[in-house]
Amino acid sequence: MEGSTKHSLSAERNLLQRNRIKKLMEKGLQNALVTVVAPPGYGKTHEMANFFGNAGVRLSWMRATKLDNLPGHFWDNHIASLARECTQAVKPLRALGFPNTLANMDAWLRIVASDIYKDSRLSVHVVDNFDEIKNDEVRMLFDFLAETGVENFCLVLISRQKTDIDLKALRSGGGVFRVTGEQLKFTEDEIGSFFKQCGLYLPNSQFSKIYRETEGWPLLVYLLSRQLQKNKCSYEESMGKSMEMVHSMFESEFFSKYDASTKEALIKLSFLSSFSANLISKIVDDADVSGFMETLAANQFVTYDSNLKGYVFQSMYCDFLQERHTPGLSGELRHVYSMAADCALEKGCQLHAVEYYSRSHRYNEMLSVMVDYIGGRMAVDKMQADYFFRKLEELPPRIKNVNYLAGYIESCLYIQMMQPEKAFGILEGMERELLGKPGKKERAMLGEVYERIAGIRMMQRKECFMGYFKKAYELIPKGSAYKKKSMLRYKNYSIFSVQDYTPGAVERMEKEIYDGFEYMNAVEGGVSAGFQYLFSAEAAYQKYELKRAQGMASKAFFEAKTAGAHDIACNALLILATVALKQGKYLEMTDIVHSIEKYVDSTGIPELIAVKEYVFNWRELSLCPAAQMPKWVNALDSGFVSMTPLVIGRGELHYAIYLLVKKQYSTMVAYLEQVKPLYTTKGWGESLSANIMSAIGYMKLRDEERAVDVFKETYDLTYHNKIMTPFIEFAGLTRTLIEHVRKLDKYEFDWEWLDDIYRKASTFGKRLSFMMKEHARQNNIAPEREIQLTEREVEVLRCLAQGLTREEIAEEHHIAISTVKSVITNIYNKLGAVNRVDAVRTALDFGILDA
């Protein structure tokens, strides 16, 4: 994105256009990563803005703040920085959400890379104030981006502290260009040129003295020129390089000339990370607003940041202003925080609002925003949860004792972190206290407590949870005040989960749901319409009762669609698609998959895009050979980074299935060991599939004893309730595993039941083979015909596979480097690749290159 952000010390304000810096950066842009590291006052931001303003590149510029340590806030800021130049990438990036697994990072990278390769210009992404970002999960994105080696792209990180840039790419030392404070300093000749540009004609001998005394520090050179222009000091005066001198110049040049009310307003605003024109109008008297805005426009150390939609102070000037804060301003500063919070809330910036309400001691409002933020989401990420926990810890006891939202929010956060017992303990304490208070407000809060307890007991799949929904309904018949009606309750997560493995457990859970469903749906504001039928459909499917699963899924779909419970409707369609797959009905399955895609698109709900992508990936993983696996699973690793355990669902098993198809058994087993505890806490569901894949993996790795142990563990979890599908869906692999178990004869099994699974797995295997052939025929899957590369492109691709640099390729084929770059970009576009490794791997998979 081109610099819509105005940067302080801009060129038209008499700062020297330095050809030396221009040449330095031109050299730097030949690398994948440029770091610009220097203390405050070295003109880092100005020099980069000055250079890129005339560089003819595609530029996106992001100014980081402390709140960017919250992944959600960072993601909004990142997307805003891309909005002008990368318009086609904005929508899919917003739908993707913060990439919290390496699979999603890969998806993010492909979206960005695809946009980059559509333009011949160099794409540059600048992150200013990179040292503000401390969050490891956010930094992981930059690690991923810096190491990937996207063609025709450069990442520029501007930081005040060298220690704050610690990326793998820097540690490896490859493809990195460093710009230091020493390089940004003014030389003696540049000082002379700069002073002459400012109309200051001094004896040449004096420039050496000025250079020695300022040590070429850009800020000091600039401030000295201002002093000399106004005859407020002579060049003979000793400058020194102390902060006291800098602050003294700030005082004389950019503060003392203001009237008392302007000074006070500047000091107050310096305590905000950014401030909008709307906030300024609330702080400054109406009669003085236009004058104050002119003051900001004239101040060299105030910047308007279009991404933040507000003004920010240069860091050293901000420190200077904050030092002028007096105890008498503390009360008024709290008032500023209060107004800033209100403005942030008006703009929908809830996290900013939480922060400023906290600082203004408006704790009740802070709690209201927090509960509203949590209530509008299925889950918050770990960083947001930790942030909210800290805010709750900061609450004064008097607030905790009278505002029940504090305990309610804390319980919600513990649920997000899959610590239900802690949440239950808090809610039980609230229940005891609220039972003795007959007030209307207290009774409504008690209803909310019962709704949460019901949710916990339901999560744990304990019976009688519907009794709590009924209690909640009696107190809040119109539904929870803290659950958004538009909230997606289940997204693409499996709802079938039972902690009890004794005979009849599934039927008991099913009866519990039906008996109290009307209370549950009413209390949750209708977001659970069709839930009871969907549970029945998933339960029937797990038992391989395909016809019953089909009927119940159809009921769930129509009821959910009518009530606008779109995630439940999509999940019901998915059950219908999986049933069609098991029945070998390719055309029916394909039609249902297309129906899901159309349904999601018709709702216009970004969060549902994840469901559509899941369905697409499920189909491809089920029916495609390894060479045509979905691109996102080509990530070298996968893991859960910033997600809370609550949101771990069936989609995360895609990576394990990919590894199984690719026969990477040791990696698959290690990965499943990592995720197993997350699934175990949620009952059966995906843990069964994970167990069976582990058993298959151990068998392939010749760890026979471990394979049988895991198989027996899965058998014990499923046999008494006749859960069969997790075994059957692995077809031939399950048959081999059962044959293997028979040979060892280590445990007692119901062999008649296993024989039934064996037969059904055999039948499904035959159907699956037919479906895969039909899928290839219907989609004309023929790698050698799908991707057509020119002879030149194949030659260059071979060179890339051999590890040749662009320069070496140009020399070997007697062509210009610019031509090589263009050819590589075309190759990446045709292959849908991100970098050379990805391109070579894809070319090998599609038979374009020979191994």
Side-chain angles (χ1 to χ4, degrees):
M1 183 176 72
E2 197 171 352
S4 57
T5 300
K6 296 178 182 176
H7 300 287
S8 56
L9 307 182
S10 57
E12 60 268 29
R13 292 182 175 177
N14 290 329
L15 270 186
L16 186 67
Q17 305 273 336
R18 293 194 279 171
N19 196 46
R20 177 175 61 85
I21 301 297
K22 179 184 176 184
K23 289 181 178 179
L24 186 71
M25 284 306 300
E26 286 173 347
K27 184 178 179 182
L29 290 185
Q30 297 174 21
N31 297 268
L33 175 63
V34 175
T35 62
V36 184
V37 182
Y42 277 72
K44 302 179 294 297
T45 298
H46 160 73
E47 292 293 354
M48 295 303 104
N50 188 34
F51 169 75
F52 285 118
N54 302 290
V57 299
R58 294 182 79 199
L59 181 67
S60 59
W61 190 295
M62 172 182 164
R63 182 188 181 95
T65 69
K66 286 184 173 62
L67 278 176
D68 285 313
N69 288 292
L70 298 174
H73 187 275
F74 163 81
W75 194 241
D76 290 341
N77 199 357
H78 171 63
I79 291 175
S81 73
L82 300 173
R84 182 169 175 180
E85 284 282 1
C86 306
T87 53
Q88 293 184 354
V90 169
K91 186 175 180 180
L93 287 175
R94 188 167 284 124
L96 178 69
F98 179 80
N100 42 28
T101 69
L102 286 179
N104 284 344
M105 287 185 198
D106 190 70
W108 159 66
L109 191 62
R110 290 182 186 282
I111 294 169
V112 174
S114 175
D115 189 273
I116 288 171
Y117 295 148
K118 289 174 184 174
D119 197 305
S120 59
R121 292 174 296 165
L122 177 70
S123 291
V124 179
H125 186 57
V126 180
V127 183
D128 200 356
N129 286 357
F130 183 75
D131 48 289
E132 290 284 10
I133 299 178
K134 315 291 185 184
N135 182 298
D136 290 339
E137 292 153 14
V138 175
R139 281 174 167 255
M140 188 179 294
L141 290 183
F142 293 103
D143 254 332
F144 192 72
L145 186 58
E147 284 198 305
T148 301
V150 176
E151 190 75 20
N152 212 32
F153 173 79
C154 181
L155 175 63
V156 179
L157 304 179
I158 304 176
S159 175
R160 286 169 289 190
Q161 299 178 27
K162 185 176 181 180
T163 55
D164 284 324
I165 299 185
D166 184 24
L167 302 181
K168 291 178 184 176
L170 290 172
R171 294 194 289 273
S172 63
V176 181
F177 188 85
R178 294 170 173 82
V179 179
T180 66
E182 287 298 315
Q183 292 168 315
L184 293 175
K185 286 181 178 180
F186 275 75
T187 65
E188 185 176 327
D189 289 340
E190 286 172 344
I191 291 175
S193 298
F194 175 61
F195 272 50
K196 289 173 184 176
Q197 181 178 300
C198 296
L200 297 169
Y201 297 94
L202 307 178
N204 288 336
S205 60
Q206 298 303 319
F207 292 130
S208 297
K209 177 178 175 60
I210 292 172
Y211 174 72
R212 289 195 306 272
E213 293 178 340
T214 63
E215 297 182 15
W217 192 16
L219 177 64
L220 217 52
V221 171
Y222 173 71
L223 290 176
L224 177 59
S225 72
R226 292 290 300 245
Q227 294 283 60
L228 290 173
Q229 282 176 315
K230 297 191 176 184
N231 298 317
K232 292 187 177 178
C233 72
S234 66
Y235 59 85
E236 289 90 357
E237 291 184 70
S238 176
M239 294 298 302
K241 196 186 172 187
S242 66
M243 289 305 301
E244 290 79 5
M245 178 60 72
V246 173
H247 281 200
S248 174
M249 289 189 169
F250 276 144
E251 178 73 40
S252 60
E253 289 296 313
F254 301 99
F255 197 68
S256 63
K257 61 184 179 182
Y258 302 140
D259 59 40
S261 62
T262 300
K263 290 179 181 178
E264 186 175 309
L266 288 170
I267 292 170
K268 292 175 182 176
L269 292 170
S270 71
F271 286 88
L272 304 177
S273 58
S274 66
F275 49 95
S276 64
N278 186 33
L279 180 59
I280 291 171
S281 67
K282 296 178 184 294
I283 293 175
V284 180
D285 293 337
D286 291 341
D288 298 330
V289 171
S290 60
F292 188 82
M293 296 301 292
E294 290 177 6
T295 296
L296 290 182
N299 192 307
Q300 308 280 14
F301 299 97
V302 181
T303 299
Y304 181 80
D305 192 302
S306 59
N307 295 337
L308 297 174
K309 296 187 173 96
Y311 295 88
V312 294
F313 289 113
Q314 191 268 352
S315 60
M316 292 180 69
Y317 189 61
C318 185
D319 292 341
F320 160 78
L321 291 173
Q322 289 183 5
E323 283 190 6
R324 270 125 195 91
H325 174 261
T326 61
L329 284 176
S330 296
E332 295 183 38
L333 184 58
R334 280 175 52 185
H335 183 56
V336 171
Y337 285 139
S338 179
M339 290 186 289
D342 291 339
C343 286
L345 196 57
E346 288 172 8
K347 292 195 299 181
C349 301
Q350 291 174 298
L351 294 175
H352 276 101
V354 167
E355 182 64 32
Y356 290 139
Y357 278 136
S358 174
R359 295 187 191 182
S360 63
H361 298 178
R362 291 174 64 184
Y363 298 114
N364 291 328
E365 288 86 349
M366 181 193 81
L367 292 171
S368 294
V369 176
M370 288 169 66
V371 77
D372 185 63
Y373 185 89
I374 294 171
R377 289 162 173 78
M378 171 67 181
V380 297
D381 59 47
K382 287 181 181 177
M383 289 304 301
Q384 290 166 340
D386 290 342
Y387 175 73
F388 288 152
F389 273 128
R390 289 196 299 272
K391 288 301 168 188
L392 292 174
E393 289 172 1
E394 295 170 5
L395 285 174
R398 60 181 175 79
I399 298 296
K400 287 184 178 180
N401 293 337
V402 299
N403 194 322
Y404 296 108
L405 279 183
Y408 178 83
I409 292 169
E410 190 174 11
S411 71
C412 290
L413 294 174
Y414 279 125
I415 291 172
Q416 301 286 346
M417 302 308 295
M418 287 301 288
Q419 299 180 42
E421 293 305 329
K422 281 189 176 182
F424 185 72
I426 293 170
L427 292 167
E428 272 194 322
M430 293 178 67
E431 178 191 17
R432 286 192 296 269
E433 188 171 347
L434 288 165
L435 279 172
K437 298 185 177 181
K440 185 177 180 181
K441 183 178 178 181
E442 286 76 12
R443 286 181 61 77
M445 191 70 239
L446 181 59
E448 301 287 354
V449 168
Y450 284 140
E451 187 275 336
R452 283 287 77 198
I453 292 176
I456 292 171
R457 289 312 189 213
M458 185 176 172
M459 177 195 303
Q460 297 172 322
R461 297 302 187 249
K462 293 187 176 180
E463 295 177 32
C464 301
F465 63 86
M466 280 300 180
Y468 284 104
F469 275 123
K470 185 176 181 180
K471 287 182 179 182
Y473 175 76
E474 291 169 351
L475 295 167
I476 47 174
K478 294 183 179 180
S480 168
Y482 306 135
K483 300 289 182 185
K484 297 288 183 65
K485 306 304 181 194
S486 59
M487 176 183 173
L488 299 179
R489 184 69 176 82
Y490 303 101
K491 292 191 177 178
N492 66 333
Y493 311 129
S494 171
I495 65 172
F496 177 74
S497 178
V498 181
Q499 295 273 356
D500 181 3
Y501 310 123
T502 59
V506 175
E507 288 72 18
R508 290 194 296 273
M509 179 61 65
E510 202 167 0
K511 183 178 185 304
E512 176 81 5
I513 289 173
Y514 277 84
D515 286 348
F517 173 73
E518 62 177 305
Y519 304 117
M520 168 188 170
N521 195 39
V523 168
E524 293 192 338
V527 299
S528 296
F531 171 86
Q532 76 279 40
Y533 299 127
L534 183 60
F535 181 89
S536 293
E538 289 192 7
Y541 176 74
Q542 293 293 330
K543 291 186 174 188
Y544 215 64
E545 298 171 359
L546 299 183
K547 287 186 178 180
R548 183 169 186 265
Q550 204 169 28
M552 287 297 176
S554 296
K555 281 187 175 183
F557 171 71
F558 288 112
E559 185 163 316
K561 181 183 178 183
T562 302
H566 301 303
D567 52 344
I568 292 179
C570 287
N571 277 278
L573 288 174
L574 178 59
I575 291 293
L576 293 174
T578 57
V579 168
L581 176 69
K582 297 299 184 292
Q583 293 173 334
K585 298 177 180 178
Y586 177 78
L587 292 179
E588 183 178 326
M589 183 210 69
T590 301
D591 288 343
I592 296 170
V593 169
H594 290 323
S595 296
I596 294 172
E597 293 173 344
K598 290 178 183 177
Y599 187 94
V600 170
D601 291 340
S602 70
T603 65
I605 301 174
E607 291 83 356
L608 276 179
I609 293 176
V611 179
K612 182 172 73 172
E613 291 176 348
Y614 169 81
V615 171
F616 170 79
N617 291 329
W618 163 78
R619 181 187 65 181
E620 300 305 299
L621 284 164
S622 300
L623 299 179
C624 282
Q628 282 82 44
M629 287 290 103
K631 291 281 185 192
W632 65 263
V633 294
N634 285 330
L636 297 178
D637 193 5
S638 187
F640 309 111
V641 183
S642 68
M643 292 185 292
T644 52
L646 179 65
V647 305
I648 304 302
R650 58 192 171 204
E652 281 66 45
L653 286 183
H654 277 161
Y655 180 67
I657 296 172
Y658 168 76
L659 294 174
L660 179 61
V661 173
K662 284 286 191 179
K663 301 181 180 180
Q664 297 178 21
Y665 303 119
S666 58
T667 305
M668 180 192 73
V669 168
Y671 171 73
L672 290 171
E673 284 297 316
Q674 174 194 358
V675 302
K676 184 178 178 180
L678 299 172
Y679 287 123
T680 302
T681 58
K682 301 176 79 170
W684 286 348
E686 291 75 27
S687 64
L688 299 177
S689 296
N691 274 6
I692 295 167
M693 277 192 283
S694 292
I696 292 169
Y698 287 124
M699 179 184 67
K700 294 291 186 179
L701 294 171
R702 303 184 183 279
D703 189 345
E704 299 175 351
E705 186 173 349
R706 188 72 178 274
V708 175
D709 288 344
V710 175
F711 185 87
K712 180 61 165 61
E713 176 189 338
T714 313
Y715 169 87
D716 290 340
L717 295 175
T718 57
Y719 169 67
H720 292 296
N721 283 279
K722 304 306 177 187
I723 303 298
M724 305 179 76
T725 300
F727 296 92
I728 294 168
E729 62 189 357
F730 293 103
L733 292 171
T734 297
R735 292 174 57 204
T736 304
L737 186 57
I738 291 175
E739 291 168 359
H740 184 73
V741 170
R742 279 186 179 279
K743 289 177 184 177
L744 293 184
D745 197 23
K746 182 179 179 181
Y747 296 107
E748 288 293 328
F749 290 101
D750 181 339
W751 294 111
E752 185 176 340
W753 188 62
L754 287 183
D755 285 343
D756 191 25
I757 290 177
Y758 188 93
R759 287 190 296 272
K760 287 181 169 65
S762 179
T763 301
F764 173 59
K766 294 173 184 177
R767 290 173 177 170
L768 183 62
S769 178
F770 162 77
M771 297 273 278
M772 292 180 73
K773 291 176 183 176
E774 185 65 15
H775 185 64
R777 188 182 72 80
Q778 293 280 348
N779 292 278
N780 192 29
I781 296 177
E784 66 278 3
R785 293 197 302 272
E786 272 203 350
I787 299 174
Q788 294 293 334
L789 298 185
T790 66
E791 185 177 341
R792 170 58 58 79
E793 288 166 350
V794 173
E795 289 175 351
V796 171
L797 184 57
R798 287 198 183 100
C799 292
L800 292 175
Q802 293 165 9
L804 272 62
T805 65
R806 291 179 299 196
E807 291 76 11
E808 290 168 338
I809 296 171
E811 183 178 351
E812 179 167 323
H813 293 282
H814 308 290
I815 54 178
I817 291 180
S818 59
T819 303
V820 175
K821 290 181 180 179
S822 178
V823 172
I824 291 174
T825 299
N826 289 338
I827 292 170
Y828 291 174
N829 266 325
K830 289 182 179 182
L831 297 180
V834 170
N835 53 25
R836 70 165 61 206
V837 174
D838 195 25
V840 171
R841 179 173 53 218
T842 302
L844 288 170
D845 282 343
F846 280 80
I848 297 170
L849 293 180
D850 296 328

